[in-house]
């Protein structure tokens, strides 16, 4: 029982800490831009449910910490519609009520009566805050640990694998993949992961001679400490650097900032490519994670950080750096998801505002209602699919009856 509780704490606590921190920053993005535009705000909550502690500032905003640490929210005054985009009738009713309670002109302080461009910026500020957080975290990371480049040197090719059939040999150095120069082994791995079933051209240096080798990645079932049981695209290359294949350099804050931007761009591009391949039927969606998968990943990175060095000082430093990296990646993921054009998400609100800007009137109530329901169903379906993936990665169904 004690072991189970320990494992639960190892997985759940890091997950809740990371999730609450990232969602709070997301909501803080909405809050700060709304406050800059003079929007009246009722509440900023860290967590959900019953209030633990709260205070009200001089502008009438209640700041509270609630008992359920699953993120947080910001509530604008008059924000009663679940989609946050009331129609013309709803706006007229809200205007009358606000004027009756606070006098003429008071409605100008309410979110729904702000110009479209201000409302759009307020909504977009949430995902923007996630990307900004990732940028800051990556800048701190690269400033603290620098940049290590491990050249993609081939140690061996798994017998019978696509790499072996392509003719890879030990000590081959990969110079480019699909014509794009690569300097680090991680670039090779990333391209292979996104290329299941598609031929990949490798430019290889073999004893000073350049060769073009072509291999088609195949999906293999892999047990990963962080991701669980997943099918990953592989060509069967084992890479191990030689003495001269390792390089390291310290990065100043400007260089670290640039590297952080590059990492965010690469992560967003890879995510977009993966989602696109899912819609084209080239990927199964195994790498999509729900809350269980994120919790497992949080526990996995915690275990790795603790096991890396038993010294308490090194352990604390390694945990801090590991969680900074993990939080940055999760923050990018939350930013991307919130920009999806689904009505219950920020991207859906921006879609409605785009219509309002063109049509000169809000989206009709009936359309909003249908859009909200469809969006909620899509989001629920996505979460169910991701949770199904999580359970399969944990081998739960295999344990229960060999279904996986």
């Amino acid at each position: 029982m004690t072991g189970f509780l320990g494992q639960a704490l190892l997985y759940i606590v890091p997950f809740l800490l990371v999730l609450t921190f990232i969602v709070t920053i997301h909501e803080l993005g909405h809050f700060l831009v709304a406050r800059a535009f003079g929007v009246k705000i009722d509440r900023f909550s860290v967590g959900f449910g019953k209030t633990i502690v709260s205070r009200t500032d001089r502008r009438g905003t209640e700041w509270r910490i609630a008992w359920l640490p699953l993120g947080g929210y910001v509530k604008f005054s008059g924000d009663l519609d679940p989609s946050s985009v009331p129609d013309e009738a709803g706006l007229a009713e809200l205007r009358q009520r606000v004027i009756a309670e606070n006098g003429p002109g008071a409605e100008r302080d309410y979110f729904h009566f702000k110009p479209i461009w201000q409302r759009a910026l307020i909504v977009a500020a949430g995902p923007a805050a996630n990307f900004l957080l990732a940028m800051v975290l990556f800048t701190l990371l690269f400033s603290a640990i620098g940049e290590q480049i491990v050249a993609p040197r081939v140690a061996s090719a798994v017998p019978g694998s696509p790499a072996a059939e392509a003719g890879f040999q030990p000590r081959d150095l990969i110079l480019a993949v699909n014509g794009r120069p690569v300097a680090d082994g991680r670039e090779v791995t990333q391209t292979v992961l996104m290329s299941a079933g598609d031929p990949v051209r490798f430019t290889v240096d073999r004893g000073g001679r350049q060769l073009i080798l072509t291999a088609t990645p195949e999906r293999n079932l892999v047990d990963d400490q962080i991701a669980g049981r997943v099918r990953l695209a592989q060509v069967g290359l084992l890479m191990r650097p030689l003495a001269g294949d390792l390089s390291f350099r310290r990065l100043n804050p400007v260089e670290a900032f640039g590297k952080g931007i590059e990492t965010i761009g690469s992560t967003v591009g890879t995510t977009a490519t993966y989602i696109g391949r899912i819609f084209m039927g080239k990927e199964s969606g195994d790498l999509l994670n729900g809350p269980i998968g994120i919790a497992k990943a949080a526990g996995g990175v915690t275990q790795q950080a603790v096991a890396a060095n038993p010294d308490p000082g090194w352990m604390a430093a390694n945990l801090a750096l590991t969680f900074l990296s993990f939080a940055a990646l999760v923050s990018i993921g939350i930013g991307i998801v919130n920009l999806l054009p689904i009505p219950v998400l920020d991207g859906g609100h921006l879609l409605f505002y785009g219509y309002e800007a063109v049509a000169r009137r809000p989206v009709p109530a009936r359309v909003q209602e249908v859009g909200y329901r469809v969006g909620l169903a899509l989001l629920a379906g996505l979460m169910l699919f991701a949770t199904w993936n999580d359970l399969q990665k944990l081998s739960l169904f295999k344990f229960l009856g060999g279904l996986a």
Side-chain angles (χ1 to χ4, degrees):
M1 184 66 178
T2 304
F4 172 78
L5 290 176
Q7 286 293 316
L9 290 175
L10 180 66
Y11 284 84
I12 295 174
V13 172
F15 166 68
L16 292 179
L17 288 175
V18 170
L19 180 66
T20 300
F21 172 63
I22 292 172
V23 174
T24 298
I25 295 298
H26 176 97
E27 296 299 325
L28 194 60
H30 293 311
F31 175 87
L32 291 176
V33 177
R35 178 62 62 90
F37 289 139
V39 174
K40 184 176 174 61
I41 302 170
D42 288 342
R43 179 182 301 141
F44 187 98
S45 178
V46 178
F48 295 90
K50 188 176 181 180
T51 301
I52 297 175
V53 61
S54 69
R55 62 175 292 272
T56 302
D57 64 22
R58 58 186 179 83
R59 297 189 183 184
T61 301
E62 177 194 8
W63 295 79
R64 69 194 286 264
I65 298 176
W67 71 275
L68 189 59
L70 287 175
Y73 64 92
V74 58
K75 182 180 183 302
F76 301 134
S77 295
D79 195 5
L80 302 177
D81 187 86
S83 67
S84 296
V85 188
D87 64 349
E88 289 184 288
L91 285 172
E93 181 182 348
L94 178 61
R95 179 181 281 108
Q96 288 181 347
R97 179 165 57 82
V98 171
I99 292 175
E101 293 176 355
N102 303 294
E107 73 278 6
R108 289 193 292 268
D109 294 334
Y110 282 67
F111 172 80
H112 298 298
F113 302 111
K114 293 293 182 180
I116 295 176
W117 66 271
Q118 291 187 7
R119 282 179 276 149
L121 285 178
I122 292 169
V123 169
N130 287 128
F131 293 116
L132 180 61
L133 172 63
M135 183 184 67
V136 171
L137 294 180
F138 279 135
T139 300
L140 290 174
L141 278 168
F142 288 122
S143 296
I145 65 178
E147 180 184 22
Q148 185 180 41
I149 297 176
V150 183
R153 179 77 65 178
V154 175
S156 64
V158 176
S161 68
E165 294 175 1
F168 277 94
Q169 295 181 9
R171 303 178 72 89
D172 282 349
L173 178 63
I174 300 175
L175 303 177
V177 180
N178 289 333
R180 184 175 60 85
V182 294
D184 191 277
R186 287 167 293 191
E187 298 176 87
V188 177
T189 302
Q190 185 178 40
T191 302
V192 170
L193 283 174
M194 293 294 108
S195 304
D198 296 333
V200 177
R201 290 181 298 107
F202 298 88
T203 304
V204 173
D205 180 288
R206 180 177 295 168
R209 210 164 39 99
Q210 286 195 14
L211 305 171
I212 302 294
L213 305 178
T214 302
T216 302
E218 299 174 343
R219 288 197 193 91
N220 296 314
L221 192 61
V222 176
D223 285 311
D224 184 81
Q225 181 180 357
I226 293 177
R229 293 175 70 243
V230 292
R231 292 189 179 276
L232 300 178
Q234 298 176 324
V235 292
L237 276 179
L238 300 178
M239 292 189 286
R240 186 178 302 113
L242 300 176
D245 293 333
L246 297 172
S247 61
F248 176 83
R249 69 186 184 103
R250 292 283 182 185
L251 299 180
N252 61 43
V254 175
E255 292 173 323
F257 175 80
K259 188 65 179 176
I261 294 294
E262 179 186 330
T263 304
I264 292 173
S266 174
T267 304
V268 172
T270 300
T271 304
T273 299
Y274 185 70
I275 293 175
R277 287 176 62 83
I278 291 175
F279 281 104
M280 290 187 293
K282 293 184 176 182
E283 294 289 347
S284 62
D286 279 5
L287 298 182
L288 290 179
N289 283 329
I292 298 174
I294 298 175
K296 185 183 187 306
V301 298
T302 303
Q303 286 179 318
Q304 287 187 348
V306 170
N309 193 316
D311 178 76
W314 279 102
M315 186 185 299
N318 201 23
L319 272 172
L321 293 174
T322 300
F323 266 98
L324 284 178
S325 178
F326 181 69
L329 292 173
V330 174
S331 187
I332 293 172
I334 289 178
I336 292 173
V337 168
N338 272 279
L339 285 176
L340 295 176
I342 298 175
V344 293
L345 300 174
D346 293 332
H349 295 165
L350 293 174
L351 188 65
F352 283 166
Y353 294 148
Y355 171 88
E356 184 178 345
V358 174
R360 304 283 184 174
R361 64 179 184 276
V363 177
R366 184 179 296 276
V367 176
Q368 287 192 45
E369 182 180 356
V370 172
Y372 179 75
R373 290 178 177 176
V374 170
L376 193 60
L378 285 173
L379 192 60
L382 180 62
M383 290 300 297
L384 285 172
F385 177 72
T387 302
W388 174 269
N389 271 347
D390 294 341
L391 295 175
Q392 286 190 317
K393 293 170 192 175
L394 293 174
S395 303
L396 177 63
F397 296 113
K398 184 177 181 180
F399 173 76
L400 290 176
L403 297 179

